[in-house]
Amino acid sequence: MKKNNEIKIKKKPRIAILGDSMTENIQLNNDHDFTSTLQKFLPKYEILNFSVASTGLADQIHIYEKLIKEHNPDYVFLYLTENDFTDNTYFDPRPNRISYKIIDNKVVETIRDEKFFKEYFSKINIFKREKLIHIKKFSNSYKIYWHLKNEIFKKKILKKQHKKINLKNKNIIFEKILKDAEIKIFEDIQTFIFLNISNHNNMQISEKRLIMIDMLKKYKNFYDPHIPAINYLKKTNQFNHPYFGFKCDSHYSKLGAEFLSNFTFTKFKENNSF
């Protein structure tokens, strides 16, 4: 876990944070990341962040069952991202993720084969993960790459995204994973669900996001910070290109961590007595 202190005997009500890199905040100092900022808003609670980068909702269900439950939390704050719609499908394969595909009209887990791991552990891919990642983390190269990619290949990217979004199987797989989360997490503990902001051009709400919102809105404690984040940036005179990209994105920015923790606290406070 990304924290400064060891977990001790429980003396306060506990809130377990569950998500991916958006809430793990590996690029931010522990004193300024999402966990520490939210902790300042909730001093009467103990915040434990179990988020792990590059995980999908199916993986997070296992994290809850195998790790979080043993720490006896009172609440779970679950942070989904738009890529959760595809993270646990064979369309977007990574060896650390559970992966599903549809065979004979049934959702089944796929097993990584020898060819997959041979490619994953190739010299070039190991070099990317172990060396090039540092350039991304400690420079502005990711901002330059993101900006150029979206400006130069905008039409191609949108066409590719649209094609992926329209694949019916992804919808079916995510519905199955969401149902698993409902049974194994939401029915077991009071859960607050947040759909992280994204950095689409001009901040238009994507088709994929609309699909996810439609699936999630049935849950009582579901919140979408997209519009509040836009208003927050406008209020602070920071709503400009590339919009959420690295401005209000809690991956990289203190501003993003501050916004998300403030939004989370507000919604939690509205639904609980302090």
Side-chain angles (χ1 to χ4, degrees):
M1 294 172 65
K2 185 175 179 289
K3 64 196 305 293
N4 292 331
N5 305 310
E6 296 293 326
I7 299 176
K8 298 179 181 179
I9 296 173
K10 182 177 177 180
K11 294 182 180 179
K12 299 178 180 179
R14 281 180 171 166
I15 297 171
I17 305 297
L18 184 56
D20 58 15
S21 56
M22 290 287 281
T23 43
E24 185 186 22
N25 281 175
I26 199 167
Q27 285 92 345
L28 294 182
N29 183 288
N30 283 14
D31 296 323
H32 301 291
D33 65 0
F34 172 66
T35 309
S36 61
T37 309
L38 183 61
Q39 184 68 79
K40 292 172 185 175
F41 282 111
L42 296 166
K44 294 182 180 180
Y45 294 82
E46 183 183 9
I47 313 284
L48 300 178
N49 194 339
F50 296 89
S51 300
V52 180
S54 191
T55 55
L57 179 56
D59 312 300
Q60 291 153 13
I61 293 169
H62 278 243
I63 292 171
Y64 175 74
E65 290 188 303
K66 303 298 183 182
L67 181 60
I68 294 178
K69 286 182 76 169
E70 70 180 60
H71 293 289
N72 192 26
D74 299 275
Y75 302 93
V76 165
F77 291 177
L78 173 66
Y79 295 84
L80 301 176
T81 55
E82 289 184 28
N83 56 10
D84 280 314
F85 192 68
T86 58
D87 274 350
N88 294 115
T89 69
Y90 74 97
F91 296 101
D92 193 4
R94 296 193 185 185
N96 59 303
R97 292 179 186 156
I98 297 168
S99 178
Y100 294 104
K101 67 188 306 183
I102 295 178
I103 301 175
D104 296 330
N105 296 318
K106 294 182 179 179
V107 179
V108 297
E109 186 172 348
T110 57
I111 306 300
R112 310 299 187 191
D113 57 22
E114 185 177 337
K115 182 181 176 182
F116 175 88
F117 283 104
K118 186 176 181 180
E119 182 178 342
Y120 186 80
F121 289 106
S122 66
K123 289 183 179 180
I124 184 64
N125 282 324
I126 290 174
F127 176 73
K128 286 179 182 178
R129 290 195 298 274
E130 295 183 356
K131 305 298 180 184
L132 292 185
I133 189 68
H134 298 292
I135 297 175
K136 178 182 176 182
K137 286 182 180 179
F138 301 110
S139 73
N140 286 330
S141 63
Y142 59 86
K143 296 183 183 181
I144 297 168
Y145 170 76
W146 182 88
H147 182 75
L148 290 176
K149 182 179 178 182
N150 279 274
E151 289 301 311
I152 298 172
F153 302 107
K154 186 184 296 184
K155 289 184 179 179
K156 186 176 180 180
I157 291 169
L158 289 174
K159 187 176 180 180
K160 186 177 179 182
Q161 287 176 343
H162 188 72
K163 185 178 179 182
K164 284 187 173 183
I165 289 168
N166 285 333
L167 288 171
K168 183 180 177 181
N169 286 0
K170 290 185 177 184
N171 201 329
I172 295 171
I173 291 171
F174 185 73
E175 280 186 321
K176 177 259 190 290
I177 297 170
L178 190 59
K179 185 63 179 178
D180 288 346
E182 182 179 325
I183 295 168
K184 297 176 181 178
I185 302 179
F186 309 161
E187 293 179 2
D188 188 58
I189 187 170
Q190 187 171 357
T191 306
F192 288 75
I193 307 166
F194 302 87
L195 183 56
N196 286 315
I197 61 173
S198 60
N199 54 5
H200 297 289
N201 281 341
N202 302 318
M203 298 326 307
Q204 295 177 351
I205 298 178
S206 69
E207 185 179 352
K208 182 163 56 175
R209 189 178 191 90
L210 288 173
I211 293 170
M212 293 182 73
I213 290 171
D214 191 56
M215 292 183 185
L216 293 165
K217 65 184 181 183
K218 66 180 179 180
Y219 300 111
K220 178 185 175 183
N221 293 325
F222 164 65
Y223 306 100
D224 180 9
H226 186 87
I227 300 301
I230 291 176
N231 294 335
Y232 179 76
L233 288 175
K234 287 180 176 178
K235 186 177 180 180
T236 56
N237 296 317
Q238 297 185 81
F239 187 65
N240 47 50
H241 195 77
Y243 302 101
F244 287 168
F246 320 113
K247 264 276 172 66
C248 200
D249 182 340
S250 56
H251 269 98
Y252 313 98
S253 74
K254 185 179 175 182
L255 176 71
E258 288 173 350
F259 166 76
L260 186 60
S261 58
N262 198 331
F263 182 83
T264 298
F265 168 71
T266 300
K267 297 305 176 185
F268 183 59
K269 186 178 179 181
E270 287 175 358
N271 289 275
N272 289 273
S273 299
F274 279 75

